[in-house]
Amino acid sequence: AQATAAKPLVRDTAERLISGVVERARLINADDDWAYRVAMLVAFGSFVAGAERPNDVDVACRLKPRWQGAAQEKTEELRRAARDRRFRNTWECAAWPKLEVLSFLKSRSRGLSVQELDDWILKQKRHSIIYHDGQRE
C-alpha cells in the first residue's frame, strides 16, 4: 500500500543522500537550539545490501536529549512554541521536538526514509553505522 511509482535511485544518488543526512546530523549536533542530539545514524535495507538501484535509502536515527531535567523541558517547550502552525493532535504536540529533528534529517528528500532507531535494525545482518557521536564510521 505504501509503494510508489517513482523510479529506483541510482547508486550515486543514494550515496549523496547518505552524505547529506550525515551533514545535517552534524549541523543539529552543533546547534544548541535543538532539543535533541543525533547519537547515531544507521543505514539498512536494500542500499546496504548492495542494490545498484535501491528504491530508497533507509536510515534509522538514535536521538538523545541535549539537556537534562528542567532545561530539557524548557527547550522542548520553546521548540513547540517556535512552530509556525498548529499541531494536528496531542501526540504530534508531545512528540514535536523529536519529529522536527527527523524531519530536518529527511529534508523533504523523496529517496530518503528516516525513522527512529529500533533494536531490530541493529540485529539485522546487513546494517551500517554511518554516524556515531559526531564521527563518520
Side-chain angles (χ1 to χ4, degrees), residues 25 29 37-42 59-64 105 115 117 122 127-134 137:
N29 287 352
R37 293 177 53 81
V38 178
M40 182 187 310
L41 293 174
V42 179
V59 176
C61 175
R62 176 167 290 147
L63 301 176
K64 65 180 181 179
L105 289 172
Q115 65 186 52
L117 179 61
L122 295 175
H127 71 273
S128 177
I129 298 172
I130 57 174
Y131 181 82
H132 190 272
D133 289 333
E137 296 291 325

Side-chain angles (χ1 to χ4, degrees), residues 7 10 13 20 50-51 93 97 105 109 114 125 134:
K7 292 181 182 177
V10 178
T13 302
C93 180
L105 289 172
S109 173
V114 180
K125 289 181 181 177

